[in-house]
Amino acid sequence: MIMIEHIDGITFRNKVLEITDGIGTPGVIRWQLVLCLLAAWGIAFLCLIKGIETSGKVVYVAATVPYVFLTILLIRGLLFDGATEGLLYFVTPRWEQLWKFSTWGDAAVQIFYSAGLGWGGVATLASYNNFHNNTQRDVIILLVLDGLTSFFAGCVIFVTLGFMAKQSGVHIDDVVEQGPGIAFMVYPEALASLPLPQLWSVLFFLTLFTVGLDSQMVHIQTMTGAVFDNFPRANKKKTVVTFIVCLSGFILGLTCLTQGGIYVLQLMDWYVASVSIMILVFMEMFVLSWIYGINRLGKDFEMMTGKKPRNTLKIGIGLTTPFALLFVWIFSLVQHSPVTYGDQTYPKWSIGIGWMIALISLVPIPVGMVYTLMKEKGNIFERLRHSVKPLPSWRPANDDDHNDNAELEKLNYVSEKETFA
């Protein structure tokens, strides 16, 4: 590890975290971090008191400010000695890595994180769109912007890493370790080179906070939206429900604020992202295209956008994407290694807890299936057949959103054979 990272790493570990020697020694709760967490949840709650109206205005700022700040850092970083080497290291393909299934697994996890796939946030926010909104256009814009943003942020990081490596005479691979080192070690090094570094540091961490607040609000809306959809009476007490969700998130977050909390954070990130998210998204897509039916989905798409989906879109949704996900997930599991943090290994009992955390998010699926089958009547096959048929209430909420009642009836009352088409 190079000297620059070593110095910043000591500050981050010993001053900010007061880190212990392992997850088995959690230590005491860091009250400074508790206050930061309380402020984060408190501000998120205030932003969501009036629902999507207030959060939408906050997102305008939270989504644009980071681009301005990254542009400043990139321009300054390109003037560093060693910036070119860092940038070339970032954009130079290493083809041998493409033969490793772990590379594809890591890439899939990164996409799920950056694009918000599988968490429910995208679906929740999309539900506030107009019924006839061009969903296909929005998806393309989202994915393109997500990819360009990741590339842009990567350029900022690696020009700084090139400078840090040049200063210490080591390879870029040895500059920072895994975990939160990028945010708390690399960016501050770039900020220190700017005029009035204290001012830029405050602006940077304020920007970092707005990025986190943006994601935090989406997660809160996803959870409150699920409550409101399943318990309509709760809509009358939106503020109370939002407060309960924020308070629960704050309490659960305390486990990551002990002196050994960084190990807990790494444990959750390691197993939830690589184990449960991919299989969850696979099951969502499989049910959508093979149980609900790709043909029925295409009719829904046509009714909403006024355009028939292309066959390539149907193939992608029904075949290419779900089975590619399943393939990557299986081989990621085969090559999955126990969690580590830097050079610290985890005891077996903590690895077991990590697997339990990963599986908890999947438990509601079989529980929901059993509950649904128990409500139906008849033998097991009749219950299964009726449980996968759309209910008569499955229709646009606003009658003005459809023009042909016959088409709507076709969507609601399809043959049982088409259910599995």
Side-chain angles (χ1 to χ4, degrees):
M1 203 65 61
I2 70 170
M3 184 58 65
I4 293 177
E5 191 280 336
H6 182 66
I7 296 174
D8 288 344
I10 290 177
T11 302
F12 178 67
R13 289 169 173 268
N14 297 344
K15 299 296 184 180
V16 178
L17 301 179
E18 291 188 357
I19 193 170
T20 60
D21 56 359
I23 193 172
T25 52
V28 298
I29 292 180
R30 297 278 290 137
W31 64 267
Q32 299 93 335
L33 300 181
V34 173
L35 293 179
C36 293
L37 183 66
L38 180 62
W41 281 106
I43 294 174
F45 169 69
L46 293 176
C47 292
L48 293 171
I49 283 182
K50 294 185 178 180
I52 194 68
E53 293 84 1
T54 54
S55 64
K57 297 177 181 179
V58 174
V59 168
Y60 281 124
V61 178
T64 55
V65 170
Y67 289 101
V68 176
F69 203 87
L70 286 175
T71 301
I72 295 173
L73 289 182
L74 179 61
I75 294 174
R76 180 65 185 93
L78 289 173
L79 301 178
F80 285 148
D81 183 24
T84 303
E85 291 80 354
L87 195 60
L88 288 176
Y89 180 84
F90 177 57
V91 300
T92 302
R94 286 174 287 280
W95 302 108
E96 68 278 2
Q97 295 294 326
L98 296 178
W99 295 101
K100 297 180 180 179
F101 288 109
S102 59
T103 301
W104 294 95
D106 292 341
V109 170
Q110 174 60 28
I111 291 174
F112 291 148
Y113 265 126
S114 59
L117 305 178
W119 305 94
V122 174
T124 301
L125 295 181
S127 67
Y128 294 101
N129 282 329
N130 294 326
F131 182 79
H132 296 291
N133 182 66
N134 192 335
T135 306
Q136 185 176 8
R137 177 202 60 198
D138 290 350
V139 170
I140 295 174
I141 293 175
L142 173 64
L143 295 178
V144 171
L145 287 179
D146 178 64
L148 292 177
T149 301
S150 297
F151 179 79
F152 186 44
C155 291
V156 177
I157 291 170
F158 277 88
V159 293
T160 307
L161 291 180
F163 163 71
M164 295 170 68
K166 185 81 171 181
Q167 289 292 102
S168 300
V170 298
H171 196 268
I172 296 178
D173 288 335
D174 301 322
V175 175
V176 293
E177 58 185 12
Q178 60 183 343
I182 294 298
F184 298 105
M185 298 175 194
V186 178
Y187 283 126
E189 179 62 27
L191 295 172
S193 67
L194 296 173
L196 297 174
Q198 295 83 357
L199 174 63
W200 288 108
S201 296
V202 171
L203 293 176
F204 166 72
F205 284 106
L206 182 61
T207 301
L208 195 64
F209 174 75
T210 60
V211 173
L213 180 65
D214 190 7
S215 301
Q216 189 175 8
M217 289 192 302
V218 173
H219 291 312
I220 295 172
Q221 287 180 309
T222 302
M223 291 183 283
T224 55
V227 173
F228 298 145
D229 290 343
N230 288 278
F231 305 99
R233 293 183 180 179
N235 281 277
K236 299 179 181 179
K237 299 181 178 180
K238 288 186 177 181
T239 302
V240 176
V241 173
T242 303
F243 176 78
I244 293 174
V245 170
C246 292
L247 180 61
S248 301
F250 169 74
I251 294 174
L252 292 173
L254 293 177
T255 58
C256 299
L257 302 185
T258 63
Q259 291 172 304
I262 191 68
Y263 299 112
V264 179
L265 177 64
Q266 180 76 348
L267 184 72
M268 293 188 293
D269 176 69
W270 192 280
Y271 287 96
V272 173
S274 60
V275 176
S276 58
I277 293 300
M278 274 192 283
I279 191 61
L280 182 62
V281 175
F282 163 75
M283 287 189 288
E284 289 177 358
M285 298 202 66
F286 181 82
V287 170
L288 186 66
S289 57
W290 290 84
I291 304 300
Y292 182 72
I294 194 68
N295 292 329
R296 187 186 294 115
L297 183 64
K299 293 176 182 178
D300 291 345
F301 182 86
E302 182 179 359
M303 181 171 61
M304 295 175 67
T305 64
K307 300 178 182 179
K308 290 185 177 181
R310 298 180 179 180
N311 290 331
T312 53
L313 182 62
K314 291 183 177 181
I315 294 173
I317 295 176
L319 292 174
T320 308
T321 303
F323 289 103
L325 280 173
L326 182 62
F327 180 79
V328 172
W329 178 74
I330 291 175
F331 280 95
S332 295
L333 281 185
V334 172
Q335 298 188 354
H336 194 272
S337 59
V339 58
T340 59
Y341 180 74
D343 56 356
Q344 292 282 345
T345 58
Y346 281 59
K348 292 183 179 180
W349 62 265
S350 63
I351 295 176
I353 293 177
W355 282 103
M356 289 177 58
I357 294 174
L359 296 176
I360 284 176
S361 60
L362 302 177
V363 170
I365 297 176
V367 171
M369 293 172 60
V370 172
Y371 176 74
T372 301
L373 291 175
M374 290 178 62
K375 292 195 303 181
E376 299 292 340
K377 298 180 180 180
N379 58 45
I380 184 62
F381 296 104
E382 292 173 343
R383 290 171 183 248
L384 180 62
R385 187 165 57 248
H386 289 294
S387 66
V388 297
K389 292 174 61 177
L391 297 174
S393 58
W394 177 247
R395 53 171 292 168
N398 190 345
D399 290 337
D400 294 334
D401 286 330
H402 62 87
N403 300 317
D404 190 352
N405 289 331
E407 182 65 21
L408 182 61
E409 292 296 319
K410 188 186 300 183
L411 289 171
N412 286 334
Y413 301 101
V414 295
S415 64
E416 296 175 0
K417 181 177 180 181
E418 188 182 1
T419 299
F420 296 93

